[in-house]
Amino acid sequence: MRLKAPAKDLLFWSAKWAAAGVCVILLGVIVSIALPISEPVGAESVDEESVEAAIADEINDERRERGFQPYRYSERLDATATAYSREMVEYDFYSHTSPKSGGIEQRIPCDSPAENLNSALYAVTISQDSNRLRPADSPLVEQGYTGEFRIENQTELAEYIVAKWMASENHKRNILWTEGVRQGIGVAVEDRERGKRVVVTQQIC
């Protein structure tokens, strides 16, 4: 048995669906109908857990290249690092000392902790002058830097974060710390008028 929709329902849905530009032939008449469209994951989307994993891999690659053991993943450090990145975004500060949770020793659950912080603009074109921390050996610079660059995907984002750390002696020392065994990476994303600001915390014990 065939079910027939009332004519007024067809007219209603034809009008409602016309904006999508998808056409079918119904009862000899061309009618535009809208199909459900899921929003694509574009360049401006950031999956925090994926970026955290990519940054951890980049750090351990740097360690392996120099003959050091890779940092082991720590669920506890991962949680505290993520909480701290989110805290910096929520309370609008950028420092190893928090007005809410105190210093490194109060936050990181071990006797001799170390911490690296970083941030980057994602899906935003940045000039050399507006990004003082851009290292000379950034992977984005090596790929034809001409005065401006734009982080377009999460792989570039992870590479850029670690390159900035490796260009700073203090941050590099933490990445290559011979007494460090475990690490956690925490990423928080802040929506801005243009693109996103990504805040990263690495905690090491």
Side-chain angles (χ1 to χ4, degrees):
M1 175 175 147
R2 301 169 97 185
L3 297 177
K4 183 176 179 182
K8 63 178 183 180
D9 288 347
L10 292 176
L11 291 174
F12 170 77
W13 287 109
S14 296
K16 186 176 180 65
W17 294 345
V22 180
C23 296
V24 297
I25 297 178
L26 180 63
L27 300 178
V29 179
I30 296 179
V31 180
S32 296
I33 60 173
L35 300 176
I37 299 174
S38 0
E39 187 176 348
V41 178
E44 294 189 5
S45 298
V46 178
D47 183 291
E48 294 173 354
E49 290 187 2
S50 296
V51 175
E52 290 166 0
I55 291 172
D57 288 344
E58 287 287 327
I59 289 169
N60 281 333
D61 285 347
E62 295 287 351
R63 291 178 63 82
R64 289 188 189 95
E65 284 177 11
R66 292 159 178 82
F68 302 136
Q69 288 295 315
Y71 283 132
R72 296 203 305 262
Y73 169 77
S74 166
E75 185 176 355
R76 190 174 181 187
L77 290 175
D78 215 51
T80 57
T82 299
Y84 194 60
S85 289
R86 291 175 180 172
E87 187 176 313
M88 285 190 284
V89 168
E90 181 180 356
Y91 292 93
D92 193 24
F93 73 95
Y94 183 78
S95 170
H96 291 288
T97 303
S98 163
K100 182 175 182 289
S101 60
I104 294 174
E105 291 77 11
Q106 285 75 47
R107 287 194 308 277
I108 304 179
C110 63
D111 293 334
S112 301
E115 182 176 75
N116 281 340
L117 305 180
N118 214 330
S119 67
L121 294 177
Y122 186 70
V124 178
T125 300
I126 305 171
S127 69
Q128 180 178 4
D129 294 339
S130 69
N131 192 45
R132 294 180 297 104
L133 294 177
R134 180 189 58 80
D137 61 347
S138 164
L140 298 181
V141 175
E142 293 172 358
Q143 296 169 9
Y145 180 75
T146 57
E148 292 186 339
F149 69 90
R150 180 183 174 96
I151 299 173
E152 294 281 7
N153 58 61
Q154 296 180 161
T155 299
E156 287 184 350
L157 177 60
E159 291 173 349
Y160 180 69
I161 290 293
V162 176
K164 286 174 70 177
W165 278 333
M166 292 298 290
S168 159
E169 284 305 316
N170 288 337
H171 296 93
K172 181 178 180 179
R173 190 177 302 117
N174 286 340
I175 287 177
L176 303 179
W177 189 26
T178 55
E179 296 179 18
V181 176
R182 297 168 288 122
Q183 74 170 346
I185 307 293
V187 170
V189 180
E190 177 186 17
D191 289 317
R192 295 215 162 175
E193 186 176 343
R194 293 189 311 123
K196 298 177 184 294
R197 175 175 174 249
V198 181
V199 177
V200 183
T201 302
Q202 178 200 23
Q203 294 182 345
I204 311 158
C205 286

Tab-separated table of all heavy atoms in Angstrom, residues 127-176:
chain	number	residue	atom	x	y	z
A	127	SER	N	51.914	37.857	11.395
A	127	SER	CA	53.126	38.456	10.844
A	127	SER	C	54.280	38.249	11.815
A	127	SER	O	54.085	37.961	12.995
A	127	SER	CB	52.917	39.958	10.609
A	127	SER	OG	52.808	40.616	11.851
A	128	GLN	N	55.489	38.423	11.327
A	128	GLN	CA	56.669	38.228	12.163
A	128	GLN	C	56.635	39.187	13.359
A	128	GLN	O	56.936	38.804	14.484
A	128	GLN	CB	57.929	38.454	11.335
A	128	GLN	CG	59.230	38.282	12.132
A	128	GLN	CD	60.441	38.469	11.267
A	128	GLN	OE1	60.322	38.798	10.084
A	128	GLN	NE2	61.616	38.252	11.822
A	129	ASP	N	56.252	40.429	13.136
A	129	ASP	CA	56.264	41.424	14.201
A	129	ASP	C	55.258	41.115	15.297
A	129	ASP	O	55.468	41.462	16.460
A	129	ASP	CB	55.974	42.823	13.637
A	129	ASP	CG	57.097	43.291	12.721
A	129	ASP	OD1	58.206	42.749	12.848
A	129	ASP	OD2	56.847	44.167	11.887
A	130	SER	N	54.139	40.486	14.947
A	130	SER	CA	53.082	40.260	15.932
A	130	SER	C	53.267	38.962	16.708
A	130	SER	O	52.461	38.612	17.531
A	130	SER	CB	51.710	40.242	15.247
A	130	SER	OG	51.601	39.086	14.444
A	131	ASN	N	54.364	38.245	16.432
A	131	ASN	CA	54.569	36.972	17.123
A	131	ASN	C	56.034	36.898	17.567
A	131	ASN	O	56.850	36.277	16.934
A	131	ASN	CB	54.222	35.807	16.197
A	131	ASN	CG	54.152	34.502	16.956
A	131	ASN	OD1	53.560	34.445	18.024
A	131	ASN	ND2	54.760	33.470	16.421
A	132	ARG	N	56.351	37.545	18.668
A	132	ARG	CA	57.734	37.693	19.099
A	132	ARG	C	58.418	36.353	19.365
A	132	ARG	O	59.623	36.234	19.248
A	132	ARG	CB	57.796	38.539	20.375
A	132	ARG	CG	57.361	39.976	20.156
A	132	ARG	CD	57.442	40.789	21.447
A	132	ARG	NE	56.529	40.277	22.463
A	132	ARG	CZ	56.906	39.553	23.507
A	132	ARG	NH1	58.161	39.226	23.677
A	132	ARG	NH2	56.016	39.137	24.401
A	133	LEU	N	57.636	35.325	19.734
A	133	LEU	CA	58.227	34.054	20.115
A	133	LEU	C	58.471	33.131	18.928
A	133	LEU	O	58.899	32.010	19.119
A	133	LEU	CB	57.325	33.349	21.144
A	133	LEU	CG	57.208	34.062	22.488
A	133	LEU	CD1	56.247	33.308	23.392
A	133	LEU	CD2	58.560	34.184	23.172
A	134	ARG	N	58.194	33.599	17.715
A	134	ARG	CA	58.392	32.727	16.555
A	134	ARG	C	59.868	32.360	16.431
A	134	ARG	O	60.735	33.211	16.281
A	134	ARG	CB	57.972	33.451	15.279
A	134	ARG	CG	58.152	32.607	14.019
A	134	ARG	CD	57.923	33.430	12.780
A	134	ARG	NE	58.813	34.553	12.710
A	134	ARG	CZ	60.075	34.488	12.296
A	134	ARG	NH1	60.595	33.339	11.942
A	134	ARG	NH2	60.825	35.569	12.247
A	135	PRO	N	60.230	31.087	16.537
A	135	PRO	CA	61.639	30.696	16.454
A	135	PRO	C	62.138	30.677	15.022
A	135	PRO	O	61.372	30.460	14.084
A	135	PRO	CB	61.634	29.277	17.034
A	135	PRO	CG	60.276	28.766	16.704
A	135	PRO	CD	59.344	29.956	16.761
A	136	ALA	N	63.424	30.880	14.872
A	136	ALA	CA	64.001	30.879	13.527
A	136	ALA	C	63.905	29.509	12.882
A	136	ALA	O	63.899	29.389	11.664
A	136	ALA	CB	65.450	31.329	13.600
A	137	ASP	N	63.857	28.455	13.696
A	137	ASP	CA	63.842	27.109	13.127
A	137	ASP	C	62.450	26.490	13.143
A	137	ASP	O	62.292	25.286	13.108
A	137	ASP	CB	64.812	26.189	13.883
A	137	ASP	CG	64.433	26.033	15.359
A	137	ASP	OD1	63.590	26.823	15.837
A	137	ASP	OD2	64.977	25.136	16.020
A	138	SER	N	61.407	27.324	13.222
A	138	SER	CA	60.052	26.786	13.186
A	138	SER	C	59.845	26.003	11.896
A	138	SER	O	60.302	26.418	10.831
A	138	SER	CB	59.027	27.925	13.250
A	138	SER	OG	57.753	27.462	12.864
A	139	PRO	N	59.166	24.860	11.963
A	139	PRO	CA	58.925	24.096	10.730
A	139	PRO	C	58.130	24.895	9.712
A	139	PRO	O	58.247	24.678	8.516
A	139	PRO	CB	58.135	22.877	11.222
A	139	PRO	CG	57.604	23.255	12.564
A	139	PRO	CD	58.598	24.210	13.145
A	140	LEU	N	57.323	25.844	10.174
A	140	LEU	CA	56.570	26.660	9.221
A	140	LEU	C	57.488	27.627	8.497
A	140	LEU	O	57.288	27.948	7.333
A	140	LEU	CB	55.469	27.443	9.956
A	140	LEU	CG	54.410	26.592	10.651
A	140	LEU	CD1	53.374	27.476	11.322
A	140	LEU	CD2	53.739	25.675	9.665
A	141	VAL	N	58.526	28.100	9.189
A	141	VAL	CA	59.482	29.003	8.556
A	141	VAL	C	60.281	28.261	7.502
A	141	VAL	O	60.547	28.771	6.425
A	141	VAL	CB	60.433	29.591	9.626
A	141	VAL	CG1	61.513	30.436	8.970
A	141	VAL	CG2	59.646	30.440	10.606
A	142	GLU	N	60.636	27.028	7.784
A	142	GLU	CA	61.432	26.242	6.837
A	142	GLU	C	60.655	25.966	5.548
A	142	GLU	O	61.245	25.721	4.517
A	142	GLU	CB	61.846	24.920	7.482
A	142	GLU	CG	62.815	25.107	8.642
A	142	GLU	CD	63.079	23.821	9.393
A	142	GLU	OE1	62.473	22.795	9.037
A	142	GLU	OE2	63.872	23.860	10.336
A	143	GLN	N	59.351	26.051	5.609
A	143	GLN	CA	58.543	25.766	4.425
A	143	GLN	C	58.200	27.055	3.685
A	143	GLN	O	57.065	27.341	3.382
A	143	GLN	CB	57.271	25.027	4.841
A	143	GLN	CG	57.556	23.662	5.442
A	143	GLN	CD	56.343	23.043	6.084
A	143	GLN	OE1	55.237	23.551	5.948
A	143	GLN	NE2	56.529	21.953	6.800
A	144	GLY	N	59.208	27.892	3.442
A	144	GLY	CA	59.010	29.069	2.609
A	144	GLY	C	58.448	30.264	3.351
A	144	GLY	O	57.526	30.920	2.867
A	145	TYR	N	58.982	30.575	4.517
A	145	TYR	CA	58.505	31.720	5.281
A	145	TYR	C	58.760	33.014	4.520
A	145	TYR	O	59.852	33.259	4.045
A	145	TYR	CB	59.216	31.746	6.638
A	145	TYR	CG	58.798	32.906	7.506
A	145	TYR	CD1	57.574	32.901	8.154
A	145	TYR	CD2	59.631	34.004	7.655
A	145	TYR	CE1	57.196	33.955	8.939
A	145	TYR	CE2	59.258	35.069	8.444
A	145	TYR	CZ	58.049	35.039	9.087
A	145	TYR	OH	57.674	36.095	9.864
A	146	THR	N	57.739	33.867	4.400
A	146	THR	CA	57.882	35.107	3.639
A	146	THR	C	57.435	36.327	4.438
A	146	THR	O	57.079	37.342	3.865
A	146	THR	CB	57.041	35.039	2.349
A	146	THR	OG1	55.663	34.792	2.702
A	146	THR	CG2	57.534	33.947	1.424
A	147	GLY	N	57.443	36.237	5.757
A	147	GLY	CA	57.028	37.381	6.576
A	147	GLY	C	55.726	37.138	7.303
A	147	GLY	O	55.431	37.783	8.291
A	148	GLU	N	54.928	36.210	6.824
A	148	GLU	CA	53.671	35.841	7.475
A	148	GLU	C	53.509	34.332	7.424
A	148	GLU	O	54.061	33.672	6.554
A	148	GLU	CB	52.465	36.488	6.776
A	148	GLU	CG	52.398	37.991	6.933
A	148	GLU	CD	51.113	38.544	6.338
A	148	GLU	OE1	50.512	37.845	5.496
A	148	GLU	OE2	50.721	39.645	6.699
A	149	PHE	N	52.778	33.787	8.374
A	149	PHE	CA	52.453	32.369	8.300
A	149	PHE	C	51.111	32.135	8.974
A	149	PHE	O	50.591	32.990	9.680
A	149	PHE	CB	53.552	31.489	8.919
A	149	PHE	CG	53.675	31.612	10.413
A	149	PHE	CD1	52.943	30.794	11.252
A	149	PHE	CD2	54.520	32.549	10.971
A	149	PHE	CE1	53.051	30.908	12.623
A	149	PHE	CE2	54.640	32.667	12.344
A	149	PHE	CZ	53.906	31.846	13.173
A	150	ARG	N	50.588	30.943	8.748
A	150	ARG	CA	49.270	30.586	9.263
A	150	ARG	C	49.287	29.102	9.597
A	150	ARG	O	49.634	28.281	8.749
A	150	ARG	CB	48.211	30.892	8.199
A	150	ARG	CG	46.771	30.558	8.595
A	150	ARG	CD	45.861	30.856	7.409
A	150	ARG	NE	44.500	30.433	7.642
A	150	ARG	CZ	43.520	31.232	8.077
A	150	ARG	NH1	43.763	32.495	8.330
A	150	ARG	NH2	42.292	30.775	8.253
A	151	ILE	N	48.942	28.746	10.839
A	151	ILE	CA	48.856	27.351	11.240
A	151	ILE	C	47.521	26.811	10.756
A	151	ILE	O	46.470	27.247	11.200
A	151	ILE	CB	48.990	27.218	12.764
A	151	ILE	CG1	50.345	27.758	13.223
A	151	ILE	CG2	48.830	25.757	13.187
A	151	ILE	CD1	50.509	27.825	14.728
A	152	GLU	N	47.580	25.854	9.833
A	152	GLU	CA	46.380	25.414	9.133
A	152	GLU	C	45.810	24.093	9.639
A	152	GLU	O	44.659	23.780	9.373
A	152	GLU	CB	46.666	25.268	7.633
A	152	GLU	CG	46.982	26.569	6.924
A	152	GLU	CD	45.735	27.368	6.622
A	152	GLU	OE1	44.653	26.984	7.081
A	152	GLU	OE2	45.850	28.379	5.923
A	153	ASN	N	46.617	23.292	10.337
A	153	ASN	CA	46.107	22.002	10.785
A	153	ASN	C	46.766	21.621	12.105
A	153	ASN	O	47.698	22.279	12.566
A	153	ASN	CB	46.308	20.919	9.720
A	153	ASN	CG	47.762	20.750	9.343
A	153	ASN	OD1	48.587	20.404	10.196
A	153	ASN	ND2	48.098	20.983	8.084
A	154	GLN	N	46.284	20.554	12.696
A	154	GLN	CA	46.716	20.195	14.039
A	154	GLN	C	48.134	19.643	14.075
A	154	GLN	O	48.832	19.770	15.083
A	154	GLN	CB	45.711	19.221	14.657
A	154	GLN	CG	44.356	19.882	14.834
A	154	GLN	CD	43.293	18.997	15.439
A	154	GLN	OE1	42.303	19.487	15.937
A	154	GLN	NE2	43.475	17.692	15.418
A	155	THR	N	48.599	19.056	12.977
A	155	THR	CA	49.987	18.597	12.906
A	155	THR	C	50.927	19.789	12.950
A	155	THR	O	51.915	19.799	13.694
A	155	THR	CB	50.217	17.776	11.622
A	155	THR	OG1	49.371	16.629	11.637
A	155	THR	CG2	51.663	17.335	11.516
A	156	GLU	N	50.630	20.810	12.148
A	156	GLU	CA	51.440	22.026	12.178
A	156	GLU	C	51.400	22.688	13.549
A	156	GLU	O	52.411	23.218	14.023
A	156	GLU	CB	50.940	23.016	11.121
A	156	GLU	CG	51.272	22.648	9.709
A	156	GLU	CD	50.842	23.700	8.707
A	156	GLU	OE1	50.110	24.637	9.088
A	156	GLU	OE2	51.255	23.587	7.539
A	157	LEU	N	50.242	22.650	14.188
A	157	LEU	CA	50.101	23.250	15.516
A	157	LEU	C	51.036	22.570	16.518
A	157	LEU	O	51.765	23.234	17.263
A	157	LEU	CB	48.648	23.138	15.982
A	157	LEU	CG	48.322	23.659	17.389
A	157	LEU	CD1	48.658	25.129	17.521
A	157	LEU	CD2	46.837	23.414	17.697
A	158	ALA	N	51.044	21.233	16.539
A	158	ALA	CA	51.915	20.495	17.457
A	158	ALA	C	53.392	20.767	17.149
A	158	ALA	O	54.200	20.991	18.061
A	158	ALA	CB	51.616	19.001	17.374
A	159	GLU	N	53.752	20.762	15.877
A	159	GLU	CA	55.134	21.027	15.491
A	159	GLU	C	55.566	22.427	15.920
A	159	GLU	O	56.688	22.631	16.397
A	159	GLU	CB	55.291	20.879	13.971
A	159	GLU	CG	55.166	19.459	13.465
A	159	GLU	CD	55.162	19.381	11.953
A	159	GLU	OE1	55.041	20.452	11.301
A	159	GLU	OE2	55.271	18.267	11.418
A	160	TYR	N	54.674	23.369	15.747
A	160	TYR	CA	54.995	24.753	16.074
A	160	TYR	C	55.186	24.946	17.577
A	160	TYR	O	56.131	25.607	18.029
A	160	TYR	CB	53.872	25.657	15.554
A	160	TYR	CG	54.084	27.126	15.844
A	160	TYR	CD1	55.092	27.833	15.196
A	160	TYR	CD2	53.280	27.792	16.753
A	160	TYR	CE1	55.291	29.175	15.456
A	160	TYR	CE2	53.475	29.144	17.012
A	160	TYR	CZ	54.480	29.823	16.363
A	160	TYR	OH	54.685	31.142	16.628
A	161	ILE	N	54.312	24.346	18.380
A	161	ILE	CA	54.416	24.460	19.835
A	161	ILE	C	55.760	23.917	20.314
A	161	ILE	O	56.476	24.558	21.096
A	161	ILE	CB	53.259	23.699	20.520
A	161	ILE	CG1	51.913	24.420	20.300
A	161	ILE	CG2	53.532	23.506	22.010
A	161	ILE	CD1	51.799	25.761	20.986
A	162	VAL	N	56.137	22.738	19.837
A	162	VAL	CA	57.386	22.126	20.291
A	162	VAL	C	58.598	22.881	19.737
A	162	VAL	O	59.614	23.040	20.430
A	162	VAL	CB	57.424	20.630	19.908
A	162	VAL	CG1	58.762	19.998	20.295
A	162	VAL	CG2	56.279	19.889	20.604
A	163	ALA	N	58.508	23.387	18.508
A	163	ALA	CA	59.606	24.168	17.942
A	163	ALA	C	59.855	25.431	18.773
A	163	ALA	O	61.008	25.818	18.990
A	163	ALA	CB	59.295	24.540	16.494
A	164	LYS	N	58.793	26.068	19.240
A	164	LYS	CA	58.954	27.248	20.095
A	164	LYS	C	59.647	26.890	21.403
A	164	LYS	O	60.526	27.615	21.879
A	164	LYS	CB	57.594	27.881	20.378
A	164	LYS	CG	57.000	28.646	19.199
A	164	LYS	CD	55.585	29.118	19.490
A	164	LYS	CE	55.530	30.209	20.522
A	164	LYS	NZ	54.144	30.703	20.735
A	165	TRP	N	59.274	25.758	21.979
A	165	TRP	CA	59.939	25.314	23.211
A	165	TRP	C	61.411	25.000	22.956
A	165	TRP	O	62.282	25.386	23.739
A	165	TRP	CB	59.235	24.083	23.778
A	165	TRP	CG	58.019	24.393	24.596
A	165	TRP	CD1	57.767	25.541	25.290
A	165	TRP	CD2	56.896	23.538	24.831
A	165	TRP	NE1	56.549	25.465	25.935
A	165	TRP	CE2	56.001	24.237	25.675
A	165	TRP	CE3	56.557	22.248	24.414
A	165	TRP	CZ2	54.789	23.692	26.111
A	165	TRP	CZ3	55.357	21.698	24.843
A	165	TRP	CH2	54.479	22.417	25.691
A	166	MET	N	61.702	24.329	21.860
A	166	MET	CA	63.080	23.925	21.575
A	166	MET	C	63.961	25.128	21.227
A	166	MET	O	65.192	25.050	21.302
A	166	MET	CB	63.103	22.896	20.436
A	166	MET	CG	62.494	21.547	20.803
A	166	MET	SD	63.372	20.715	22.164
A	166	MET	CE	64.918	20.277	21.359
A	167	ALA	N	63.352	26.243	20.852
A	167	ALA	CA	64.110	27.460	20.545
A	167	ALA	C	64.436	28.267	21.800
A	167	ALA	O	65.149	29.263	21.730
A	167	ALA	CB	63.329	28.326	19.563
A	168	SER	N	63.928	27.837	22.947
A	168	SER	CA	64.178	28.516	24.224
A	168	SER	C	64.982	27.575	25.115
A	168	SER	O	64.579	26.435	25.350
A	168	SER	CB	62.845	28.868	24.899
A	168	SER	OG	63.011	29.074	26.289
A	169	GLU	N	66.115	28.042	25.639
A	169	GLU	CA	66.990	27.164	26.409
A	169	GLU	C	66.296	26.582	27.644
A	169	GLU	O	66.443	25.399	27.950
A	169	GLU	CB	68.262	27.920	26.822
A	169	GLU	CG	69.251	28.102	25.684
A	169	GLU	CD	69.641	26.779	25.025
A	169	GLU	OE1	69.903	25.796	25.751
A	169	GLU	OE2	69.678	26.716	23.781
A	170	ASN	N	65.530	27.395	28.358
A	170	ASN	CA	64.870	26.899	29.567
A	170	ASN	C	63.819	25.846	29.245
A	170	ASN	O	63.724	24.810	29.923
A	170	ASN	CB	64.227	28.055	30.336
A	170	ASN	CG	65.254	28.947	31.004
A	170	ASN	OD1	66.376	28.510	31.265
A	170	ASN	ND2	64.899	30.191	31.268
A	171	HIS	N	63.012	26.095	28.200
A	171	HIS	CA	61.982	25.128	27.823
A	171	HIS	C	62.614	23.856	27.238
A	171	HIS	O	62.163	22.738	27.516
A	171	HIS	CB	61.014	25.750	26.822
A	171	HIS	CG	60.229	26.890	27.376
A	171	HIS	ND1	60.635	28.206	27.252
A	171	HIS	CD2	59.071	26.928	28.080
A	171	HIS	CE1	59.759	28.999	27.842
A	171	HIS	NE2	58.797	28.252	28.358
A	172	LYS	N	63.650	24.045	26.458
A	172	LYS	CA	64.358	22.903	25.870
A	172	LYS	C	64.947	22.018	26.974
A	172	LYS	O	64.910	20.785	26.882
A	172	LYS	CB	65.468	23.414	24.950
A	172	LYS	CG	66.267	22.326	24.265
A	172	LYS	CD	67.311	22.962	23.341
A	172	LYS	CE	68.135	21.909	22.631
A	172	LYS	NZ	69.132	22.528	21.713
A	173	ARG	N	65.455	22.658	28.045
A	173	ARG	CA	66.019	21.890	29.161
A	173	ARG	C	64.962	20.984	29.783
A	173	ARG	O	65.242	19.844	30.149
A	173	ARG	CB	66.580	22.864	30.199
A	173	ARG	CG	67.408	22.189	31.293
A	173	ARG	CD	67.989	23.217	32.250
A	173	ARG	NE	68.817	24.173	31.539
A	173	ARG	CZ	68.558	25.481	31.455
A	173	ARG	NH1	67.481	25.980	32.034
A	173	ARG	NH2	69.373	26.287	30.809
A	174	ASN	N	63.743	21.482	29.892
A	174	ASN	CA	62.663	20.647	30.445
A	174	ASN	C	62.312	19.493	29.514
A	174	ASN	O	62.034	18.376	29.956
A	174	ASN	CB	61.424	21.498	30.708
A	174	ASN	CG	61.568	22.394	31.914
A	174	ASN	OD1	62.414	22.153	32.784
A	174	ASN	ND2	60.761	23.440	31.990
A	175	ILE	N	62.295	19.762	28.220
A	175	ILE	CA	61.964	18.706	27.260
A	175	ILE	C	63.021	17.597	27.276
A	175	ILE	O	62.700	16.413	27.160
A	175	ILE	CB	61.809	19.307	25.848
A	175	ILE	CG1	60.493	20.093	25.766
A	175	ILE	CG2	61.859	18.231	24.767
A	175	ILE	CD1	60.256	20.779	24.454
A	176	LEU	N	64.275	17.996	27.466
A	176	LEU	CA	65.376	17.028	27.433
A	176	LEU	C	65.880	16.686	28.837
A	176	LEU	O	66.984	16.164	28.993
A	176	LEU	CB	66.535	17.593	26.587
A	176	LEU	CG	66.175	17.966	25.146
A	176	LEU	CD1	67.387	18.539	24.425
A	176	LEU	CD2	65.598	16.777	24.388
